[in-house]
Amino acid sequence: MNALPVEHRSQAHSQPRLSSPAAMLLAAGRGSRMRPLTDTTPKPLLAVQGRALLDWHVAALQRDGVQQLVVNTAWLGEQIPAHLNAAWPALAAAGGLRYSQEGQDFGQALETAGGIARALPLLPTVFWLAAGDVFAPDFVFDAAAAQAFAASDDLAHLWLVPNPVQHPQGDFGLRESAPGRDHGRAVNVPKEGATPEQAALPRYTYSTIALLKAELFGLPWCDILAGNPQGIAMPLVLLLRRAMDAGRVGATVYRGQWVDVGTPERLAQLNQSQA
């Protein structure tokens, strides 16, 4: 279940309801670990079980009623609009596909926070985020979860996954709302100097799927100018850790199928699993 837990919903009933759910899909990276496959094809367009990796996210978002998508591009970036506009003609014709072309504008990708900050003028104040290089075909982009998040004081809500073999230490701690619950507060556990309470927390890997508020990309969390006119590259994790330290990041553990398609071997395994 993907809805936010009731105990982390704010009583701020004056918050407006989300009228037009939107999402940003990150698709600008070089995908160096996937070479030589990504020498001629952007990583999000590599085929997984007969469909471009990015199309799995688009299909899930469409299924769940998200009709406004912003996609950032850089490496071989012209291929991504060409593919999506052809693969999703009705969505494209309705103006539901928009692009933030970092490669054209700056000659390079701007990393996660930099790319989101650049695309922010195209996005509403609350939006879904998903990286184009993960496979999570059954994830539900739950409208109730988005509305609960919008009404809360949180700046981000992350979906975490059990640590994969290639990332056994995880990314963040989870302070559970109750023992054994798969949701609670995301915790920035320092590599050195963690308190005993922090060290004892279960640790999980960030799935790269999240709900975010535009507020996260302004002061005091982020000092990039609105719209990132200077093309500053910055990772999202810096902003998330700052917001976690202020107690403003929720988290839910996702236990469905999830694969970081980060190497040719993992891609091959996914495609073999369908055979």
Side-chain angles (χ1 to χ4, degrees):
M1 178 175 168
N2 289 323
L4 300 189
V6 172
E7 57 265 39
H8 292 310
R9 298 180 186 179
S10 167
Q11 298 302 311
H13 299 297
S14 61
Q15 290 278 354
R17 294 190 61 83
L18 298 181
S19 58
S20 181
M24 180 165 183
L25 299 176
L26 300 173
R30 172 65 176 86
S32 298
R33 291 181 300 163
M34 293 294 287
R35 297 184 67 188
L37 299 176
T38 51
D39 286 344
T40 55
T41 302
K43 186 177 176 182
L45 296 188
L46 295 174
V48 173
Q49 299 181 4
R51 170 183 268 177
L53 187 54
L54 195 59
D55 284 334
W56 287 98
H57 279 328
V58 177
L61 287 159
Q62 288 274 277
R63 176 200 67 207
D64 297 332
V66 181
Q67 300 293 331
Q68 298 293 321
L69 309 183
V70 175
V71 186
N72 69 335
T73 68
W75 175 251
L76 301 175
E78 70 283 352
Q79 292 186 31
I80 291 174
H83 170 85
L84 290 178
N85 291 345
W88 304 92
L91 183 63
L97 286 169
R98 305 176 77 181
Y99 303 93
S100 178
Q101 297 175 313
E102 297 167 21
Q104 286 187 17
D105 294 339
F106 302 105
Q108 63 181 2
L110 304 180
E111 298 189 53
T112 43
I116 297 167
R118 178 64 178 173
L120 214 56
L122 303 176
L123 290 161
T125 56
V126 175
F127 56 94
W128 288 97
L129 178 75
D133 58 357
V134 300
F135 181 67
D138 302 320
F139 184 86
V140 177
F141 294 90
D142 189 342
Q147 187 60 52
F149 171 70
S152 78
D153 189 48
D154 283 346
L155 295 167
H157 191 94
L158 311 182
W159 274 263
L160 308 176
V161 295
N163 299 327
V165 172
Q166 71 271 14
H167 193 54
Q169 74 276 17
D171 295 311
F172 306 121
L174 176 68
R175 184 175 293 114
E176 298 164 330
S177 59
R181 299 292 294 273
D182 270 350
H183 54 252
R185 313 304 294 166
V187 179
N188 174 24
V189 180
K191 291 183 178 179
E192 298 181 2
T195 67
E197 187 267 345
Q198 289 173 329
L201 293 173
R203 291 178 63 91
Y204 294 95
T205 293
Y206 170 42
S207 71
T208 71
I209 299 173
L211 280 161
L212 300 177
K213 288 180 181 169
E215 183 185 349
L216 180 62
F217 300 89
L219 295 173
W221 322 104
C222 177
D223 59 4
I224 294 176
L225 294 177
N228 198 1
Q230 296 172 308
I232 294 172
M234 180 184 293
L236 180 61
V237 67
L238 295 178
L239 312 189
L240 292 176
R241 292 190 188 280
R242 291 168 188 166
M244 285 177 201
D245 289 343
R248 297 185 67 183
V249 180
T252 298
V253 179
Y254 178 67
R255 298 190 183 276
Q257 184 181 18
W258 178 91
V259 179
D260 170 12
V261 190
T263 66
E265 292 75 21
R266 280 179 234 152
L267 178 62
Q269 289 170 2
L270 269 176
N271 286 325
Q272 288 169 1
S273 68
Q274 185 191 33

